[in-house]
Amino acid sequence: MNYFIEGLQGSGKSTLVRKLSEKYTDYKAIREGDYSPVELAWCAYVDKRKYSEILDKYSDIRSEIEEKSFEEKSFTDTSPTADDHMIICYTQIITDIPGFHKDLEQYEIYNGRIDKDSFKDIILKRFRNWNADKYIFECSIFQNIVEDMILFQKCTDEEIIDFYRKVKETLTGRKYQILYLKTDDIASNIDIIRKERSDDNGNEMWFPLMMRYFDSSPYAIEKKVAGTSALLDHFKHRQELELRICSEVFEGKYKVISSKNYSL
């Protein structure tokens, strides 16, 4: 059995991953930014040629990059994304080299950095290629993918649901369950993580970045919306959509849990 832990920001996904890891000590927990066989958030995704260029460009930290790099298995078809790739967990590399993290950020697949078809192709192939057991994944099946499809690809709800029907097909025969942490008071949850993700002087670190991310997205620009209220509306819509995906696509494969009160 594998577990996909999902829910909005601040719903308690990290806490649930930790609790499950403590309960099931023989499981491997995959958190955001870790190397994951199914998820690419906070990771650079590059072909072998570009990888060599990155190693040459940052030769002073070559060993650190290699330590946080993983070779993607070859795919069997001939599509543009079928070549061997390297995944670099660059956010885990500590360095004072100016511009290093910003440079590698451009090789993520999210935030409109690649076209819609390539984005879907990469995700489906990685899910199809994955065949393992006893994993606990943090926001690896919904959050980053759905955010990108709404905010940057400007997909309709139906387009996103249709995509997840294909995701389910790729997971045929796999043992998994989606544990969805449902948030009843989104605004209060966001207020909590605004305080939690602040520095020692009380300066917010996460929320200003989240606002810039949302306000500058193609979705927000097209809809002519911005600010905290619009962001909360987006989160409300996203949760409703993700719960709809669970019920319409992953019947029998999910469990909805209150983000405030739950037991394992």
Side-chain angles (χ1 to χ4, degrees):
M1 178 62 73
N2 300 280
Y3 295 98
F4 290 97
I5 312 304
E6 290 294 333
L8 296 180
Q9 290 88 330
S11 60
K13 295 186 297 296
S14 298
T15 300
L16 181 53
V17 169
R18 176 178 56 78
K19 288 182 177 181
L20 284 171
S21 299
E22 292 170 352
K23 183 174 182 178
Y24 302 112
T25 56
D26 56 336
Y27 274 64
K28 182 177 178 58
I30 303 293
R31 298 172 175 82
E32 274 195 291
D34 291 346
Y35 169 71
S36 167
V38 298
E39 166 66 350
L40 287 169
W42 308 105
C43 295
Y45 183 76
V46 297
D47 60 29
K48 294 290 184 63
R49 180 178 178 181
K50 178 56 66 175
Y51 182 69
S52 295
E53 292 176 3
I54 290 171
L55 292 178
D56 290 341
K57 183 175 182 179
Y58 297 105
S59 57
D60 289 347
I61 55 170
R62 183 186 183 100
S63 61
E64 289 90 335
I65 296 173
E66 290 177 332
E67 183 182 352
K68 294 297 182 180
S69 299
F70 301 85
E71 184 175 7
E72 187 80 307
K73 293 180 180 180
S74 300
F75 296 121
T76 56
D77 61 38
T78 57
S79 69
T81 56
D83 297 333
D84 289 344
H85 278 72
M86 296 296 294
I87 296 169
I88 310 170
C89 302
Y90 72 94
T91 57
Q92 297 184 353
I93 299 171
I94 300 173
T95 178
D96 57 2
I97 294 177
F100 170 76
H101 295 99
K102 192 66 178 176
D103 186 11
L104 266 69
E105 181 184 16
Q106 68 179 302
Y107 302 114
E108 289 192 29
I109 69 169
Y110 299 101
N111 301 1
R113 293 187 178 93
I114 61 176
D115 66 82
K116 183 186 298 187
D117 289 339
S118 295
F119 178 86
K120 293 179 179 178
D121 193 43
I122 290 169
I123 291 169
L124 290 173
K125 288 184 178 186
R126 298 195 81 236
F127 273 114
R128 189 179 298 118
N129 226 32
W130 168 65
N131 189 12
D133 198 19
K134 294 188 175 181
Y135 274 82
I136 302 169
F137 294 102
E138 180 183 4
C139 55
S140 291
I141 198 169
F142 286 160
Q143 179 168 293
N144 299 295
I145 297 169
V146 175
E147 286 275 38
D148 193 90
M149 295 184 80
I150 293 174
L151 297 181
F152 290 86
Q153 299 177 32
K154 298 183 293 184
C155 295
T156 66
D157 289 1
E158 295 304 324
E159 287 175 321
I160 296 172
I161 291 170
D162 285 344
F163 171 73
Y164 274 97
R165 291 194 175 98
K166 295 177 182 177
V167 171
K168 184 183 179 183
E169 287 178 11
T170 69
L171 294 175
T172 299
R174 319 292 168 78
K175 294 181 179 180
Y176 66 93
Q177 185 176 48
I178 299 169
L179 300 181
Y180 196 95
L181 288 162
K182 183 176 182 293
T183 301
D184 293 322
D185 190 341
I186 296 172
S188 294
N189 275 31
I190 296 300
D191 284 341
I192 290 171
I193 60 173
R194 287 177 69 169
K195 295 175 182 177
E196 289 178 345
R197 300 176 188 181
S198 298
D199 64 18
D200 294 338
N201 296 317
N203 298 310
E204 293 186 0
M205 306 295 288
W206 170 77
F207 193 68
L209 294 175
M210 186 70 230
M211 284 308 319
R212 286 198 293 272
Y213 166 79
F214 175 76
D215 288 349
S216 63
S217 70
Y219 169 88
I221 292 171
E222 182 179 272
K223 299 289 186 181
K224 296 181 180 179
V225 296
T228 303
S229 178
L231 176 64
L232 293 176
D233 286 343
H234 161 65
F235 283 148
K236 181 176 183 292
H237 167 232
R238 207 192 90 202
Q239 179 171 259
E240 290 172 348
L241 175 58
E242 289 172 352
L243 289 170
R244 184 180 166 194
I245 293 169
C246 285
S247 63
E248 293 187 17
V249 179
F250 293 101
E251 183 179 359
K253 293 288 189 178
Y254 76 96
K255 180 179 181 181
V256 178
I257 305 169
S258 169
S259 66
K260 288 188 176 182
N261 302 301
Y262 64 84
S263 58
L264 299 179

